[in-house]
Amino acid sequence: QFLTALPPDRPAAPAFLHWSFDEGRGTTAAAAGTGLPLDPARGTLTSLPGSSNLPAWTAGVRGAAVEFHGKDDYIQTGYPGISGAGARTVACWVRVPQDFTDEGFALVSWGAHQESGDTWQLSINSYPADGPVGRLRIGTHRGQVIGLRDLRDGQWHHVAAVLYGGRDPDVSTHVLLYGDGELEPAATKTVRRVRTDTGSSMAQPVAFGKNSAVRVAHDPIHLPHTFRGSMDEITLCASALSQADIRIIMARGMAGLLMDIGVGQLPVD
């Protein structure tokens, strides 16, 4: 079914989680936010079973950031993610190396990766069969939208993906991508109903830098297991933010958006 209603307005006080990565050391990435559980959202710098590589701290857009080596290193949280067809926004800063080839799955991911549409995964496209490599990609397992702009320039870029809720939302009609605050044209897209699985035995909680399809370092999946590049200032919101909201987050962070809407300070775990 096609989209038959205008996208809903953002709630006055949106529920969200935010990871600033400003620790700059250690193996913990604290979460801040409101309306979503903070304690399980705390991230741990880790690696896939069978590997011992960890992400590294680096200079970011604001304070510190995290650099991923694409060698089975990633960050794992305990937050299950937004389920089903629920509206959501995922935004972050990302730096993709110029020599990037195929280590693009994934920036932010959660879900089971077992049935069509049961995963939510923001990535840099690594799969030429689906669309141009090096572009922003949102995937739902056997469904994706891939942007037009090549991000492989070694510079920081702000990226975001928005899913508008509603009856039977589809990745082809209900998803918008943004790059550096501008609406990102789609190079390719597929038709696939969004039904993110956060409750089954195979569902994986939110992770940064890990392909949701893999479980261990030596998983024989044909795509690379982890992202290579750097990330900073990740925001996960349980509503569809507008382009104006995304531009505020890009310019002044989530704290800037909260100030504008009069919510107040960010609680931290």
Side-chain angles (χ1 to χ4, degrees):
Q1 296 184 11
F2 291 97
L3 182 64
T4 57
L6 292 173
D9 292 333
R10 167 187 40 78
F16 74 95
L17 293 168
H18 178 75
W19 295 264
S20 69
F21 299 136
D22 285 343
E23 291 84 357
R25 61 181 181 179
T27 58
T28 298
T34 183
L36 296 175
L38 279 177
D39 186 61
R42 186 181 300 112
T44 300
L45 280 65
T46 186
S47 62
L48 287 166
S51 174
S52 59
N53 297 301
L54 297 182
W57 298 101
T58 188
V61 177
R62 300 184 187 95
V66 178
E67 181 179 1
F68 301 88
H69 305 104
K71 297 183 182 298
D72 299 317
D73 53 312
Y74 71 105
I75 295 177
Q76 183 65 65
T77 82
Y79 175 60
I82 298 165
S83 64
R88 68 202 67 168
T89 301
V90 178
C92 65
W93 286 92
V94 61
R95 183 169 59 190
V96 183
Q98 292 177 306
D99 62 349
F100 171 95
T101 54
D102 60 1
E103 308 99 329
F105 292 98
L107 305 179
V108 182
S109 67
W110 69 90
H113 214 99
Q114 299 295 304
E115 303 291 337
S116 297
D118 70 358
T119 299
W120 187 257
Q121 184 156 260
L122 183 69
S123 306
I124 305 300
N125 186 47
S126 301
Y127 198 25
D130 287 345
V133 172
R135 278 63 171 177
L136 186 63
R137 170 189 178 120
I138 193 72
T140 62
H141 188 37
R142 303 193 183 116
Q144 62 274 331
V145 178
I146 298 172
L148 199 59
R149 183 181 179 186
D150 194 343
L151 298 173
R152 297 173 294 178
D153 61 2
Q155 303 297 314
W156 285 104
H157 294 283
H158 190 265
V159 299
V162 179
L163 170 68
Y164 293 100
R167 192 175 76 177
D168 295 336
D170 193 281
V171 69
S172 66
T173 54
H174 289 62
V175 172
L176 295 178
L177 299 180
Y178 293 91
D180 293 326
E182 300 296 330
L183 188 63
E184 178 75 10
T188 63
K189 61 171 60 178
T190 57
V191 176
R192 183 67 63 189
R193 182 182 174 189
V194 179
R195 47 182 183 178
T196 312
D197 178 0
T198 63
S200 75
S201 61
M202 294 299 289
Q204 300 184 83
V206 172
F208 309 137
K210 183 179 80 68
N211 187 344
S212 67
V214 303
R215 311 284 167 155
V216 297
H218 305 293
D219 196 315
I221 184 172
H222 65 285
L223 293 174
H225 297 172
T226 50
F227 171 67
R228 182 168 67 93
S230 301
M231 295 179 64
D232 197 9
E233 303 288 340
I234 297 175
T235 298
L236 193 163
C237 188
S239 57
L241 297 184
S242 68
Q243 183 177 25
D245 293 336
I246 290 169
R247 285 176 169 174
I248 292 171
I249 293 173
M250 180 178 69
R252 296 189 284 127
M254 195 63 194
L257 179 60
L258 295 182
M259 184 178 296
D260 277 18
I261 63 180
V263 172
Q265 300 294 317
L266 283 75
V268 180
D269 70 3

